[in-house]
């Protein structure tokens, strides 16, 4: 299924080289003002062809809203967005029905769909399908902001180069605003050049590189979520794993907490005026699957772009023999900078559904 949500229902449609891609989201309340200029800022952050770290494929990614928003205000009807594909080179994928690309869904989709899957640009499995996710997230985050909830992410790492992490207890509102509109979102701007060097080295070596994205949700009230399968972690994780190339997620200290003592990992409570807070936030703002009122913080691992220009070993599905393949086309040497806006958007979708 290409749908997500319990209280809202989001469905994503289209293929990378089809006529269009888009999304329909049902369950958004009426009466909320939506600033389309702010939506376009988010679309531009994700759009390809604007940075040397990204694919040279240029797409305008203009969201044509077909329903659900009238005169800049939500109507209560399902919101439908259509984004046209205008710059495709499907000929680059002509040989992939016979030779599946390593690291891609080509082989698994071939088996599942009996060879009827659209292979061009990855079809429905393509990162191109994140464009409608960003549109939906850009709409929903505006509604969340009207409720006092803000979301921002940054490039936590590219290769071995790491950015400064969020302060898990106290995240400056100005920082949230700056990161949420930045095309190369970093807390420590001095890390940009070293990160770009890592990406450029991978590109010139006909290779690619991955990294991590750290995301924070600030202003979450305490008491949202539930135990077991209704927890915030599971709800966010299911949505985040809908982003192509995400291979891992951790909340708060995550895997590092497995090396800590209980006395080190526990977040001690205190009153800050009339509000209950914790002195630390190793839990990432979540206890028992329920929000504690502290910032909800998680980190997503993004794998290297699987489309690389080096010759790789594969198989030939028609001859039944081992074979080799050189991937053609236009691809990102690193998708992490563009993934930041996608992670923010999908986090907004998950939080909106929880609320």
């Amino acid at each position: 299924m290409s749908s997500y949500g319990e209280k809202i229902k989001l469905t994503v449609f289209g293929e990378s080289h089809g006529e269009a891609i888009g999304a329909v989201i049902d369950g958004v309340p009426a009466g909320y003002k939506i600033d389309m200029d702010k939506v376009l800022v988010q679309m531009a952050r994700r759009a390809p062809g604007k940075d040397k770290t990204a694919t040279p494929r240029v797409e305008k990614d203009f969201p044509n809203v077909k329903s659900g928003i009238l005169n800049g205000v939500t109507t209560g009807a399902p919101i439908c967005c259509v984004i046209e594909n205008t710059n495709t080179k499907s000929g680059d994928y002509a040989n992939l029905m016979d030779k599946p690309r390593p690291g891609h869904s080509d082989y698994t989709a071939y088996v599942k769909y009996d060879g009827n899957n659209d292979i061009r640009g990855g079809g429905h499995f393509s990162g191109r399908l994140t464009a409608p996710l960003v549109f939906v997230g850009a709409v929903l985050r505006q509604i969340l902001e009207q409720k006092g909830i803000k979301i921002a992410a940054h490039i936590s790492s590219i290769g071995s180069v790491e950015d400064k992490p969020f302060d898990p207890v106290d995240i400056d509102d100005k920082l949230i605003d700056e990161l949420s509109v930045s095309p190369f979102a970093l807390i420590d701007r001095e890390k940009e050049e070293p990160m770009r060097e890592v990406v450029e080295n991978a590109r010139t070596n006909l290779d690619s590189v991955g990294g991590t994205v750290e995301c924070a949700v600030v202003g979450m009230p305490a008491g949202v979520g539930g135990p077991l399968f209704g927890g915030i972690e599971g709800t966010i994780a299911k949505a985040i794993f809908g982003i192509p190339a995400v291979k891992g997620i951790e909340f708060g200290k995550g895997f590092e907490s497995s090396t800590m003592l209980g006395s080190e990992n526990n977040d001690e409570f205190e009153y800050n005026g009339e509000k209950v807070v914790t002195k630390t936030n190793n839990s990432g703002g979540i206890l028992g699957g329920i929000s504690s009122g502290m910032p909800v913080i998680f980190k997503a691992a993004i794998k290297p772009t699987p489309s690389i220009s080096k010759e790789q070993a594969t198989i030939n599905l028609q001859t039944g023999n081992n074979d080799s393949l050189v991937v053609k086309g236009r691809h990102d040497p690193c998708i992490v900078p563009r993934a930041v806006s996608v992670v923010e958007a999908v986090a907004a979708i998950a939080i909106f559904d929880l609320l």
Side-chain angles (χ1 to χ4, degrees):
M1 298 292 288
S2 298
S3 299
Y4 172 86
E6 297 291 333
K7 301 178 182 68
I8 58 173
K9 182 62 66 176
L10 167 66
T11 299
V12 179
F13 61 85
E15 291 91 15
S16 178
H17 285 209
E19 290 186 11
I21 55 177
V24 177
I25 181 164
D26 198 1
V28 179
Y32 284 96
K33 292 184 178 180
I34 304 299
D35 186 335
M36 287 305 296
D37 288 336
K38 290 184 178 180
V39 171
L40 294 177
V41 168
Q42 298 305 322
M43 300 298 293
R45 294 174 70 207
R46 192 223 69 93
K50 297 187 176 183
D51 192 279
K52 200 170 183 179
T53 62
T55 170
R57 175 180 176 178
V58 178
E59 292 282 5
K60 293 182 179 179
D61 280 1
F62 184 81
N64 295 294
V65 179
K66 302 298 184 180
S67 67
I69 299 176
L70 179 64
N71 298 323
V73 179
T74 58
T75 66
I79 298 173
C80 176
C81 160
V82 176
I83 302 168
E84 294 182 358
N85 291 324
T86 60
N87 189 354
T88 59
K89 291 186 178 180
S90 299
D92 291 335
Y93 302 87
N95 66 331
L96 298 184
M97 286 302 294
D98 298 337
K99 299 180 181 182
R101 294 167 294 176
H104 278 274
S105 64
D106 299 349
Y107 172 69
T108 52
Y110 175 88
V111 174
K112 181 174 179 62
Y113 300 113
D114 297 323
N116 295 302
N117 53 299
D118 186 347
I119 203 73
R120 303 168 302 166
H124 193 60
F125 296 87
S126 171
R128 177 112 186 91
L129 273 295
T130 60
L133 289 178
V134 170
F135 166 79
V136 173
V139 170
L140 297 186
R141 72 193 296 177
Q142 290 189 40
I143 300 176
L144 290 173
E145 286 181 7
Q146 294 175 48
K147 297 177 178 292
I149 298 171
K150 289 188 174 183
I151 299 172
H154 69 109
I155 303 168
S156 181
S157 67
I158 291 180
S160 61
V161 181
E162 297 184 351
D163 187 22
K164 179 182 178 181
F166 281 119
D167 180 332
V169 174
D170 184 19
I171 302 177
D172 184 65
D173 197 58
K174 182 180 178 182
L175 176 63
I176 289 285
D177 292 340
E178 291 175 352
L179 291 176
S180 63
V181 296
S182 173
F184 201 98
L186 290 170
I187 296 175
D188 181 359
R189 298 306 314 177
E190 292 185 1
K191 294 303 177 76
E192 179 172 354
E193 190 58 34
M195 286 183 177
R196 288 189 178 277
E197 289 178 3
V198 170
V199 176
E200 182 62 13
N201 287 337
R203 188 188 69 81
T204 56
N205 287 312
L206 309 181
D207 219 325
S208 63
V209 64
T212 57
V213 174
E214 185 184 35
C215 184
V217 183
V218 179
M220 274 287 287
V224 177
L228 302 176
F229 307 113
I232 293 180
E233 294 104 328
T235 301
I236 292 177
K238 182 177 181 179
I240 293 295
F241 277 116
I243 303 172
V246 169
K247 298 301 291 182
I249 189 169
E250 65 176 9
F251 294 83
K253 287 295 185 181
F255 286 98
E256 184 182 341
S257 65
S258 66
T259 67
M260 300 166 68
L261 296 172
S263 56
E264 298 170 318
N265 185 59
N266 289 347
D267 300 315
E268 296 179 322
F269 293 103
E270 64 179 2
Y271 278 109
N272 181 7
E274 296 183 355
K275 182 181 179 181
V276 175
V277 297
T278 55
K279 295 180 179 180
T280 55
N281 190 18
N282 297 326
S283 67
I286 307 165
L287 294 167
I290 301 170
S291 59
S292 66
M294 299 298 288
V296 172
I297 299 176
F298 67 89
K299 187 181 293 184
I302 312 294
K303 73 176 184 178
T305 315
S307 290
I308 58 175
S309 298
K310 289 186 175 183
E311 183 173 319
Q312 301 174 85
T314 186
I315 54 175
N316 191 306
L317 294 169
Q318 297 305 314
T319 66
N321 297 320
N322 292 325
D323 212 326
S324 62
L325 173 71
V326 174
V327 177
K328 299 179 181 179
R330 301 161 294 174
H331 308 287
D332 302 71
C334 180
I335 62 172
V336 178
R338 295 173 61 202
V340 170
S341 63
V342 183
V343 170
E344 290 176 352
V346 172
I349 294 167
I351 296 298
F352 197 92
D353 190 45
L354 282 162
L355 292 172

